[in-house]
Amino acid sequence: MPLMVFFGCMFVAFGPSLALFVFTVMKFPLRIILLVVGAFFWLLSLLFSALLWLAVVPLREELAFSLVFSVIFQELMRFALFKLMNKAETGLEDALSEEERRSIASHKLSYVSGFGFGLMSGLFSVINVLSNSIGPGNVGITGASPNFFLVSSFLASSFILLNTFWNVIIFNAYKKRKLAPIAIVILMHMLVSCLTLLNTLPHSIYVSLIVSYVSLILVMGWAFKIAGGSLGNLKASFVCK
């Protein structure tokens, strides 16, 4: 039974990401490199968060303090990632082949780097939960939700996708110097992350899950529109000719 829970939760958390990787990244070597770069920048945000946690001794036990500054560092690293990608896109324009340029053209670069950023975020958020799901012990005996593992897996999946779409939105906003979308993305990131603090309460574990998936639907549509999508070509993609 523990192994069934482990593999079930793992596929819930990383199944959509695996599909995205196979269909949109795996065939393009340059996209794989960009995905790794995005993941590395998320790890940098984790490093800075850990250094702050070590430095501020009195607040080490305050989870909310660590979480807020973790989001701040993530958004700072996302901005640094944008600056790097912007310079790389300009500097490598003549060095890349036509096929390689097409593979990262338009919003593909922000999508792939954001996917790597989110993938690392999701991995670190759920890895301990998955390791505990193998046992020993059972969830829910002391009053916690018996669906904790499943909810955590769905949350990890949503954060991977949220970071991917946030990246598309905020990179576009940085390029066009639009402050409103930047503020919305950062505040949404902070809100959804802070709501996960409710997961320690038995009857509030689903609040963060509902809010994260409502946010995911909204930012998915927003990123789709930014990337040039419309209802017309969405309908056309489902028409078999």
Side-chain angles (χ1 to χ4, degrees):
M1 185 66 180
L3 282 178
M4 292 173 65
V5 173
F6 172 80
F7 283 109
C9 290
M10 183 177 68
F11 286 122
V12 166
F14 299 108
S17 305
L18 179 62
L20 286 175
F21 179 79
V22 169
F23 289 110
T24 66
V25 178
M26 189 173 67
K27 297 179 182 178
F28 304 93
L30 189 57
R31 291 187 187 179
I32 295 175
I33 294 171
L34 293 175
L35 184 143
V36 173
V37 172
F40 174 73
F41 270 77
W42 188 89
L43 286 174
L44 284 179
S45 74
L46 179 64
L47 173 64
F48 290 126
S49 300
L51 290 174
L52 181 67
W53 181 82
L54 288 171
V56 187
V57 178
L59 294 175
R60 283 186 184 179
E61 302 302 321
E62 297 295 331
L63 184 58
F65 168 79
S66 302
L67 188 146
V68 167
F69 277 94
S70 175
V71 172
I72 291 171
F73 282 126
Q74 284 180 49
E75 292 304 328
L76 288 174
M77 287 301 103
R78 201 193 301 272
F79 177 70
L81 179 61
F82 163 75
K83 299 295 285 186
L84 177 67
M85 291 297 175
N86 200 35
K87 288 185 177 180
E89 189 176 17
T90 305
L92 294 174
E93 191 171 332
D94 296 329
L96 299 176
S97 65
E98 183 64 30
E99 183 180 354
E100 288 173 328
R101 282 198 294 269
R102 283 201 303 269
S103 71
I104 60 170
S106 187
H107 300 283
K108 296 171 187 174
L109 186 148
S110 58
Y111 158 72
V112 176
S113 58
F115 183 38
F117 198 90
L119 199 58
M120 193 56 64
S121 170
L123 180 64
F124 269 80
S125 69
V126 81
I127 190 69
N128 287 333
V129 174
L130 290 178
S131 65
N132 288 329
S133 69
I134 300 175
N138 292 307
V139 176
I141 292 177
T142 58
S145 171
N147 297 319
F148 176 75
F149 291 139
L150 187 61
V151 171
S152 298
S153 300
F154 273 109
L155 274 174
S157 180
S158 71
F159 268 92
I160 294 171
L161 298 175
L162 278 168
N163 273 293
T164 303
F165 298 132
W166 282 334
N167 221 58
V168 173
I169 295 166
I170 208 165
F171 272 35
N172 181 69
Y174 282 140
K175 281 185 179 179
K176 297 183 177 180
R177 300 179 183 274
K178 292 182 177 180
L179 294 179
I182 296 171
I184 291 171
V185 167
I186 294 173
L187 290 173
M188 188 179 289
H189 190 178
M190 186 68 73
L191 172 65
V192 176
S193 297
C194 287
L195 283 174
T196 60
L197 294 171
L198 297 176
N199 291 355
T200 56
L201 304 176
H203 303 294
S204 304
I205 190 170
Y206 301 105
V207 174
S208 59
L209 185 66
I210 293 169
V211 173
S212 66
Y213 274 91
V214 169
S215 302
L216 177 59
I217 292 170
L218 293 174
V219 298
M220 181 171 58
W222 191 1
F224 179 69
K225 185 178 179 181
I226 286 173
S230 64
L231 287 176
N233 54 33
L234 183 63
K235 291 178 182 177
S237 66
F238 290 100
V239 177
C240 296
K241 292 184 178 181

Short mmCIF file of all heavy atoms in Angstrom, two decimals, residues 188-212:
data_model
loop_
_atom_site.label_atom_id
_atom_site.label_comp_id
_atom_site.label_asym_id
_atom_site.label_seq_id
_atom_site.Cartn_x
_atom_site.Cartn_y
_atom_site.Cartn_z
N MET A 188 0.37 37.45 -6.67
CA MET A 188 -0.29 36.16 -6.79
C MET A 188 0.61 35.04 -6.27
O MET A 188 0.14 34.13 -5.58
CB MET A 188 -0.66 35.90 -8.27
CG MET A 188 -1.52 34.67 -8.49
SD MET A 188 -1.96 34.43 -10.22
CE MET A 188 -3.11 35.80 -10.44
N HIS A 189 1.89 35.14 -6.59
CA HIS A 189 2.86 34.16 -6.09
C HIS A 189 2.89 34.18 -4.55
O HIS A 189 2.88 33.13 -3.90
CB HIS A 189 4.24 34.47 -6.66
CG HIS A 189 5.26 33.41 -6.40
ND1 HIS A 189 6.56 33.48 -6.86
CD2 HIS A 189 5.19 32.24 -5.71
CE1 HIS A 189 7.22 32.41 -6.48
NE2 HIS A 189 6.42 31.65 -5.78
N MET A 190 2.91 35.38 -4.00
CA MET A 190 2.94 35.52 -2.54
C MET A 190 1.66 34.97 -1.91
O MET A 190 1.70 34.26 -0.89
CB MET A 190 3.14 36.99 -2.17
CG MET A 190 3.34 37.25 -0.69
SD MET A 190 4.91 36.61 -0.06
CE MET A 190 6.06 37.80 -0.80
N LEU A 191 0.51 35.28 -2.50
CA LEU A 191 -0.77 34.84 -1.97
C LEU A 191 -0.89 33.32 -1.97
O LEU A 191 -1.22 32.70 -0.94
CB LEU A 191 -1.92 35.45 -2.77
CG LEU A 191 -3.33 34.94 -2.46
CD1 LEU A 191 -3.72 35.33 -1.04
CD2 LEU A 191 -4.35 35.46 -3.46
N VAL A 192 -0.64 32.72 -3.13
CA VAL A 192 -0.78 31.27 -3.25
C VAL A 192 0.20 30.54 -2.33
O VAL A 192 -0.14 29.53 -1.71
CB VAL A 192 -0.57 30.83 -4.72
CG1 VAL A 192 -0.62 29.32 -4.84
CG2 VAL A 192 -1.64 31.45 -5.61
N SER A 193 1.41 31.08 -2.21
CA SER A 193 2.42 30.45 -1.34
C SER A 193 2.03 30.58 0.13
O SER A 193 2.13 29.60 0.90
CB SER A 193 3.79 31.09 -1.57
OG SER A 193 4.24 30.88 -2.88
N CYS A 194 1.58 31.75 0.53
CA CYS A 194 1.22 31.96 1.94
C CYS A 194 0.01 31.13 2.35
O CYS A 194 -0.10 30.73 3.52
CB CYS A 194 0.96 33.44 2.20
SG CYS A 194 2.46 34.46 2.22
N LEU A 195 -0.88 30.87 1.42
CA LEU A 195 -2.06 30.05 1.75
C LEU A 195 -1.68 28.61 2.08
O LEU A 195 -2.46 27.90 2.73
CB LEU A 195 -3.07 30.08 0.60
CG LEU A 195 -3.91 31.36 0.49
CD1 LEU A 195 -4.77 31.33 -0.76
CD2 LEU A 195 -4.77 31.57 1.72
N THR A 196 -0.50 28.17 1.63
CA THR A 196 -0.08 26.81 1.97
C THR A 196 0.21 26.67 3.46
O THR A 196 0.31 25.55 3.96
CB THR A 196 1.17 26.40 1.16
OG1 THR A 196 2.25 27.31 1.45
CG2 THR A 196 0.89 26.40 -0.33
N LEU A 197 0.37 27.80 4.16
CA LEU A 197 0.55 27.74 5.61
C LEU A 197 -0.68 27.14 6.30
O LEU A 197 -0.59 26.63 7.41
CB LEU A 197 0.82 29.14 6.17
CG LEU A 197 2.14 29.81 5.74
CD1 LEU A 197 2.17 31.25 6.19
CD2 LEU A 197 3.33 29.04 6.31
N LEU A 198 -1.83 27.23 5.63
CA LEU A 198 -3.07 26.66 6.19
C LEU A 198 -3.08 25.14 6.16
O LEU A 198 -3.96 24.52 6.75
CB LEU A 198 -4.28 27.20 5.42
CG LEU A 198 -4.52 28.70 5.47
CD1 LEU A 198 -5.69 29.08 4.58
CD2 LEU A 198 -4.78 29.16 6.91
N ASN A 199 -2.12 24.55 5.44
CA ASN A 199 -2.10 23.09 5.32
C ASN A 199 -1.84 22.39 6.64
O ASN A 199 -2.06 21.19 6.77
CB ASN A 199 -1.04 22.65 4.30
CG ASN A 199 -1.43 23.04 2.88
OD1 ASN A 199 -2.53 23.54 2.65
ND2 ASN A 199 -0.55 22.82 1.94
N THR A 200 -1.34 23.14 7.62
CA THR A 200 -1.11 22.55 8.95
C THR A 200 -2.42 22.43 9.74
O THR A 200 -2.45 21.73 10.76
CB THR A 200 -0.12 23.41 9.75
OG1 THR A 200 -0.61 24.76 9.83
CG2 THR A 200 1.25 23.42 9.06
N LEU A 201 -3.48 23.06 9.26
CA LEU A 201 -4.78 22.99 9.94
C LEU A 201 -5.63 21.91 9.29
O LEU A 201 -5.75 21.86 8.06
CB LEU A 201 -5.49 24.35 9.87
CG LEU A 201 -4.71 25.54 10.43
CD1 LEU A 201 -5.49 26.83 10.19
CD2 LEU A 201 -4.44 25.35 11.93
N PRO A 202 -6.27 21.05 10.09
CA PRO A 202 -6.98 19.89 9.54
C PRO A 202 -8.08 20.24 8.53
O PRO A 202 -8.25 19.56 7.54
CB PRO A 202 -7.59 19.23 10.79
CG PRO A 202 -6.77 19.73 11.92
CD PRO A 202 -6.31 21.10 11.55
N HIS A 203 -8.84 21.29 8.77
CA HIS A 203 -10.01 21.58 7.94
C HIS A 203 -9.74 22.67 6.90
O HIS A 203 -10.65 23.11 6.21
CB HIS A 203 -11.19 22.00 8.82
CG HIS A 203 -11.55 20.98 9.85
ND1 HIS A 203 -12.04 19.73 9.51
CD2 HIS A 203 -11.45 20.99 11.21
CE1 HIS A 203 -12.27 19.04 10.62
NE2 HIS A 203 -11.91 19.78 11.66
N SER A 204 -8.49 23.12 6.78
CA SER A 204 -8.17 24.20 5.85
C SER A 204 -7.22 23.76 4.74
O SER A 204 -6.75 24.59 3.97
CB SER A 204 -7.55 25.37 6.61
OG SER A 204 -8.39 25.81 7.64
N ILE A 205 -6.96 22.47 4.66
CA ILE A 205 -5.96 21.98 3.72
C ILE A 205 -6.37 22.16 2.26
O ILE A 205 -5.55 22.30 1.37
CB ILE A 205 -5.65 20.49 4.01
CG1 ILE A 205 -4.42 20.04 3.21
CG2 ILE A 205 -6.85 19.61 3.71
CD1 ILE A 205 -3.91 18.68 3.62
N TYR A 206 -7.70 22.23 2.02
CA TYR A 206 -8.17 22.33 0.65
C TYR A 206 -8.25 23.78 0.15
O TYR A 206 -8.44 24.00 -1.03
CB TYR A 206 -9.55 21.67 0.51
CG TYR A 206 -9.54 20.21 0.88
CD1 TYR A 206 -10.08 19.77 2.09
CD2 TYR A 206 -8.96 19.26 0.04
CE1 TYR A 206 -10.06 18.43 2.44
CE2 TYR A 206 -8.94 17.91 0.38
CZ TYR A 206 -9.48 17.51 1.58
OH TYR A 206 -9.45 16.19 1.93
N VAL A 207 -8.13 24.74 1.06
CA VAL A 207 -8.22 26.15 0.66
C VAL A 207 -7.10 26.51 -0.30
O VAL A 207 -7.33 27.09 -1.37
CB VAL A 207 -8.17 27.07 1.91
CG1 VAL A 207 -8.13 28.54 1.47
CG2 VAL A 207 -9.37 26.82 2.81
N SER A 208 -5.86 26.17 0.07
CA SER A 208 -4.73 26.50 -0.79
C SER A 208 -4.81 25.76 -2.12
O SER A 208 -4.42 26.28 -3.16
CB SER A 208 -3.41 26.16 -0.09
OG SER A 208 -3.35 24.79 0.24
N LEU A 209 -5.34 24.54 -2.09
CA LEU A 209 -5.47 23.75 -3.32
C LEU A 209 -6.45 24.40 -4.29
O LEU A 209 -6.16 24.55 -5.49
CB LEU A 209 -5.93 22.33 -2.98
CG LEU A 209 -6.01 21.35 -4.14
CD1 LEU A 209 -4.63 21.07 -4.71
CD2 LEU A 209 -6.67 20.05 -3.68
N ILE A 210 -7.60 24.83 -3.78
CA ILE A 210 -8.62 25.46 -4.63
C ILE A 210 -8.10 26.78 -5.20
O ILE A 210 -8.23 27.04 -6.40
CB ILE A 210 -9.92 25.68 -3.82
CG1 ILE A 210 -10.55 24.34 -3.47
CG2 ILE A 210 -10.91 26.54 -4.61
CD1 ILE A 210 -11.69 24.45 -2.46
N VAL A 211 -7.49 27.59 -4.34
CA VAL A 211 -6.98 28.90 -4.79
C VAL A 211 -5.88 28.71 -5.82
O VAL A 211 -5.82 29.44 -6.82
CB VAL A 211 -6.46 29.73 -3.59
CG1 VAL A 211 -5.77 31.00 -4.07
CG2 VAL A 211 -7.61 30.08 -2.67
N SER A 212 -5.01 27.74 -5.62
CA SER A 212 -3.90 27.54 -6.56
C SER A 212 -4.40 27.11 -7.93
O SER A 212 -3.88 27.56 -8.96
CB SER A 212 -2.91 26.51 -6.01
OG SER A 212 -3.49 25.23 -5.94
#
